[in-house]
């Protein structure tokens, strides 16, 4: 209105009727208890009150546009979510259904990126250091024993902790997920099994599988899964449970979208 100086032209610019714009101006003047325009036959001239209000009104409009743009950007783009090897298939299916961009990342790398804003959310096994982040449990699965089909254990229908005596444990490097790594070893000791050796398995799945197939007296502890060729998965009596959580920064602009995935 200030820029046009004429009610009809201002209404046309806004795409509304002149009568509607006039009513809105009158309502605002009543609310502020101040005249904003001097009305003449030639048009409408802003008063000192209107000119004082103008920069604040412009800032409000700019902020509203920025907010709307942020919402459009947030809703329109896919979420970038990190996942660790062995992530629950059902949860992965949900993430893919939401058209999320999935990246295979270690738990340590996910947490680093989450705190730097380089990742929208992460799917990882607990416990890990999630201080300052929100963690929602999305899966709880008992661990079992993954072993070569050529190993004597593969003939059993179920494995006890005693059956693992003298065997090595194939586990990823501690630096990839230190919290879960330490908890798993503590659970083994609490159950009465101390692995003969803890082998740092290669991060690539194909190499990890090859180590289990041909590594001799070695097993891995994993949730139930369709084993690769040459391996067998066996249930473990009194097995510990692995809990996967979706983790994100509660202050993230996509926080509500991420929470809706849980």
């Amino acid at each position: 209105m200030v820029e046009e100086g004429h009610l009809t032209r201002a209404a046309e610019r806004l795409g509304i009727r002149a009568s509607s714009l006039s009513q809105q101006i009158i309502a605002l003047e009543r609310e502020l208890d101040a005249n904003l325009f001097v009305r003449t036959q030639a048009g409408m001239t802003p008063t000192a009150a209107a000119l004082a209000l103008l920069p604040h009104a412009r800032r409000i409009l700019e902020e509203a546009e920025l907010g709307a743009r942020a919402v459009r950007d947030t809703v329109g783009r896919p979420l970038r979510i990190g996942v660790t090897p062995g992530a629950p298939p059902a949860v992965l299916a949900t993430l893919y259904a939401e058209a999320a961009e999935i990246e295979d990342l270690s738990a340590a790398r996910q947490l680093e990126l989450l705190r730097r804003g380089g990742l929208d959310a992460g799917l990882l096994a607990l416990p890990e250091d999630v201080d300052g982040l929100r963690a929602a449990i999305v899966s709880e699965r008992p661990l079992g024993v993954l072993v070569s089909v050529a190993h004597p254990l593969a003939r059993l229908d179920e494995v006890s902790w005693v059956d693992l005596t003298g065997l090595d444990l194939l586990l990823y490097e501690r630096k990839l997920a230190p919290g879960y790594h330490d908890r798993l070893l503590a659970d083994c000791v609490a159950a009465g099994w101390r692995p003969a050796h803890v082998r740092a398995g290669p991060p690539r799945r194909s190499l990890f599988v090859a180590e289990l197939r041909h590594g001799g007296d070695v097993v891995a502890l994993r949730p139930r899964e369709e084993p690769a060729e040459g391996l067998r998965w066996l249930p473990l009596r009194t097995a510990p449970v692995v809990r996967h959580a979706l983790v994100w920064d509660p202050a993230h602009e996509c926080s509500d979208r991420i929470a809706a995935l849980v």
Side-chain angles (χ1 to χ4, degrees):
M1 187 67 228
V2 172
E3 295 171 352
E4 293 294 338
H6 194 279
L7 184 66
T8 302
R9 288 197 298 269
E12 289 174 351
R13 180 173 172 179
L14 294 172
I16 61 176
R17 291 186 300 177
S19 59
S20 176
L21 178 57
S22 177
Q23 290 170 5
Q24 292 180 44
I25 293 172
I26 292 171
L28 181 58
E29 288 178 325
R30 287 174 179 168
E31 183 176 346
L32 297 176
D33 193 23
N35 291 325
L36 298 177
F37 295 95
V38 176
R39 294 155 175 85
T40 67
Q41 290 185 345
M44 299 177 68
T45 304
T47 64
L51 295 176
L53 178 63
L54 182 60
H56 301 284
R58 281 178 172 156
R59 278 198 295 272
I60 291 171
L61 290 173
E62 289 170 359
E63 288 297 324
E65 175 57 29
L66 288 174
R69 190 181 306 162
V71 170
R72 288 194 297 270
D73 291 345
T74 299
V75 172
R77 70 172 179 83
L79 293 172
R80 184 184 173 206
I81 301 178
V83 301
T84 55
V91 180
L92 284 177
T94 298
L95 299 181
Y96 278 116
E98 292 296 323
E101 292 181 353
I102 307 299
E103 296 190 39
D104 290 324
L105 298 168
S106 70
R109 180 62 174 158
Q110 287 185 44
L111 293 171
E112 176 189 349
L113 289 173
L114 284 170
R115 291 190 167 99
R116 284 172 33 198
L119 202 63
D120 296 320
L123 180 61
L124 49 84
L126 296 179
E128 292 297 342
D129 179 13
V130 294
D131 187 45
L133 302 172
R134 183 172 298 170
I137 303 294
V138 293
S139 173
E140 294 183 305
R141 298 179 293 166
L143 293 174
V145 176
L146 198 59
V147 65
S148 168
V149 294
H151 195 279
L153 281 182
R155 296 194 294 267
L156 302 177
D157 293 325
E158 185 182 60
V159 177
S160 71
W161 291 100
V162 173
D163 295 325
L164 302 180
T165 302
L167 300 182
D168 292 353
L169 174 64
L170 185 62
L171 189 58
Y172 50 79
E173 291 184 88
R174 182 181 182 277
K175 66 180 181 181
L176 300 178
Y180 180 71
H181 183 284
D182 293 349
R183 171 61 63 83
L184 180 58
L185 291 181
D187 286 342
C188 291
V189 172
W193 179 48
R194 290 183 180 272
H197 298 93
V198 177
R199 303 187 194 178
R204 288 179 55 188
R205 175 177 168 79
S206 59
L207 297 178
F208 193 94
V209 169
E211 179 81 6
L212 280 175
R213 280 181 188 154
H214 310 296
D217 286 334
V218 60
V219 298
L221 297 181
R222 292 292 186 89
R224 187 179 186 90
E225 59 185 45
E226 187 64 35
E229 184 179 353
L231 300 180
R232 187 179 180 201
W233 185 90
L234 300 165
L236 175 63
R237 228 169 287 152
T238 63
V241 171
V242 56
R243 294 175 174 84
H244 276 82
L246 193 64
V247 181
W248 71 97
D249 183 348
H252 192 285
E253 61 183 6
C254 301
S255 182
D256 289 343
R257 284 181 65 197
I258 298 167
L261 298 174
V262 178

